[in-house]
Amino acid sequence: MAFSENSRQSLIPNFLYSSSLSRNMVDLERLMNKTPDLLSPQAIASSSPSDARVSRSFVVPAPSEPGRVEMYSSAFYAACTAGGILSCGLTHTAVTPLDLVKCNMQIDPAKYKSIPSGFGVLLKEQGLRGFFRGWVPTLLGYSAQGACKYGFYEFFKKYYSDIAGPEYAAKYKTLIYLAGSASAELIADVALCPMEAVKVRVQTQPGFARGLSDGFPKFVKSEGALGLYKGLVPLWGRQLPYTMMKFASFETIVEMLYKYAIPTPKDQCSKTLQLGVSFAGGYVAGVFCAIVSHPADNLVSFLNNAKGATVSDAVKNLGLWGLFTRGLPLRIVMIGTLTGAQWGIYDGFKVFVGLPTTGGVTPPPAAIESVKA
């Protein structure tokens, strides 16, 4: 696992730290102003209680910048959660027009034959406003998903690394990335599923509802409250491989970029370069994500659009080839851009609050042990 400057600092015992830098420096000055004779054993034995208090109160200032977030503290996980809200909520809302065309190509390929014709049909039938139909459930649903996805990923990655220990955490880091992201996504999709169901129905059935405010009660009245989670299992089928690929491939790609493509160590690279690496790694990871999760994405769109439909109905209607390929080119473009932007925003927010960007070159186990010793 990569060790940033902050993570190395966290290995120093906290009792050596003090947030009161000014008080510490005053104590240091008072201590240094004493003559060497006063530091002799005899002088120490006869020192006054006030002097003893000064000596005991002196600690080394924490080697961190003021206001920086301590790694793996509650503030760290809160920052990761906030970054996840921004990265997923904003990016998914921004690509609503692409998502709208993609969903309609999956549901009605006879009408929406290609990407250009799909945009043409939407523009003709619904006007410019139609391109952002369903943006509110998109924003709310994916903000909730992003909060859980990134916040719990950081938590589970640390949790599983601690269970494995430094040596095995470094040796089997990819398995930890996969396990951590899968655990986080199981939770995140429970938060996303109701909004995803309403979004797909609003986007693929013109006239069903204008948006979330009237679409949500109509959906519940038609399908029941449990109907909001009808697509949860297919959603897991789409999002689990997507997210596992997203995090594991991103961490691996970023590590390889810093190891083989960038001659300068990560901690010596500018923040702009580090964020560029995050975007590039995220875009490449997004292409892989789109391919592995696309069949389940077709299932989710079909089930949420057709009342009472089952998985077998979807497979029969779409066919195996259609299940894997219908709408795939557009989804590769959309997910690649989306994932790259998400990692850029997420790591940009982490840098803003004083945290290191995600990923980097993993030190060998021996180096980890020597740092901890």
Side-chain angles (χ1 to χ4, degrees), residues 88-96 99 132-144 192 195-196 198-200 203 212:
C88 290
L90 295 179
T91 52
H92 277 278
T93 304
V95 298
T96 296
D99 188 42
F132 282 90
R133 181 181 296 273
W135 73 270
V136 176
T138 298
L139 175 63
L140 296 179
Y142 283 95
S143 293
L192 168 64
M195 293 296 103
E196 180 74 0
V198 175
K199 174 188 81 74
V200 171
Q203 289 180 336
L212 179 65

Side-chain angles (χ1 to χ4, degrees), residues 355-372:
L355 289 168
T357 58
T358 309
V361 179
T362 304
I368 299 175
E369 293 292 352
S370 64
V371 171
K372 294 185 71 174

Side-chain angles (χ1 to χ4, degrees), residues 166-178:
E167 181 179 356
Y168 289 109
K171 185 176 180 180
Y172 300 108
K173 57 184 181 294
T174 302
L175 291 179
I176 289 176
Y177 301 151
L178 292 171

Side-chain angles (χ1 to χ4, degrees), residues 62-117:
S64 60
E65 297 176 13
R68 295 190 72 174
V69 177
E70 181 184 351
M71 292 291 289
Y72 308 119
S73 63
S74 57
F76 167 78
Y77 293 115
C80 294
T81 300
I85 292 173
L86 293 174
S87 67
C88 290
L90 295 179
T91 52
H92 277 278
T93 304
V95 298
T96 296
L98 286 173
D99 188 42
L100 191 60
V101 173
K102 183 264 300 179
C103 287
N104 281 283
M105 287 176 66
Q106 292 170 330
I107 298 302
D108 192 355
K111 183 177 181 179
Y112 298 86
K113 295 181 174 65
S114 64
I115 297 171
S117 68

Side-chain angles (χ1 to χ4, degrees), residues 124-138:
K124 182 180 179 180
E125 293 186 352
Q126 302 181 32
L128 290 175
R129 292 184 62 182
F131 286 131
F132 282 90
R133 181 181 296 273
W135 73 270
V136 176
T138 298

